[in-house]
Amino acid sequence: MSVNPGLKKFFNDLVWYTRILGSRRLVGKQVDQRGMRGAVNLVFGPTDEYAWNCVFGDSGFRFYPGRHPQPIGTVTVDQDVVLKMLAGLTSYYTAEMTGKVRIEGEGQSAWVLSSTVMQSLANARGGGFRGWISRWHLRSVLRRSGTGYELQL
């Protein structure tokens, strides 16, 4: 078993996007992070190859490959479940309520994955150039995943 190529593309693109442009261009001003600081590991398999982390603070957030050494929480999800969420085939909340999302540490750590998925879909539902780019990106992630999932907006 290896990291799904679509999932890898999605999170590696987030690493580069937040490194180059920062998080504000990704989510705009709708996320108020004042007073929030820490890191959350997102784990999709048994090794560091399957993990990314999100470090956040007052000024925004950034994604990195691998596990953070001192996270406030770890969110573990099967790769296929995340790809279904990105395709709009299931919601984050359905996945969480059915036990497909596991959280260790601080419970609110789950917001990193839920907001990333929901904001990606919200951007794709939007109009104009930003919406077109978001739809193109999610479709390319799903194509690369090899699952046959189609974007459902």
Side-chain angles (χ1 to χ4, degrees):
M1 183 172 141
S2 61
V3 180
N4 180 287
L7 188 74
K8 190 172 188 175
K9 175 179 177 34
F10 181 77
F11 283 99
N12 283 342
D13 288 352
L14 282 174
V15 168
W16 283 103
Y17 192 93
T18 58
R19 179 178 296 166
I20 295 167
L21 299 175
S23 60
R24 292 287 179 225
R25 291 194 188 248
L26 188 63
V27 297
K29 296 180 180 177
Q30 54 199 341
V31 177
D32 183 5
Q33 295 177 224
R34 288 177 290 190
M36 294 176 62
R37 286 187 177 75
V40 173
N41 287 330
L42 302 173
V43 179
F44 309 104
T47 65
D48 282 352
E49 177 190 15
Y50 296 82
W52 285 265
N53 72 81
C54 179
V55 176
F56 53 90
D58 290 339
S59 62
F61 59 88
R62 239 174 101 179
F63 282 88
Y64 297 91
R67 296 175 193 253
H68 192 277
Q70 296 179 328
I72 63 167
T74 298
V75 179
T76 306
V77 190
D78 290 334
Q79 297 178 67
D80 191 60
V81 173
V82 177
L83 291 165
K84 283 181 180 176
M85 285 189 265
L86 291 172
L89 298 172
T90 191
S91 74
Y92 172 84
Y93 298 108
T94 299
E96 185 175 28
M97 293 302 173
T98 56
K100 293 177 180 157
V101 177
R102 295 167 303 284
I103 304 162
E104 296 174 31
E106 293 190 24
Q108 72 268 22
S109 301
W111 74 267
V112 172
L113 181 60
S114 66
S115 63
T116 300
V117 168
M118 288 190 293
Q119 190 61 51
S120 295
L121 290 170
N123 288 345
R125 288 183 189 107
F129 186 67
R130 183 176 181 171
W132 181 84
I133 287 288
S134 298
R135 287 187 295 279
W136 174 84
H137 182 250
L138 284 177
R139 285 183 181 124
S140 70
V141 164
L142 293 171
R143 260 192 318 277
R144 190 170 289 185
S145 76
T147 59
Y149 299 149
E150 295 287 329
L151 184 60
Q152 305 293 311
L153 298 174

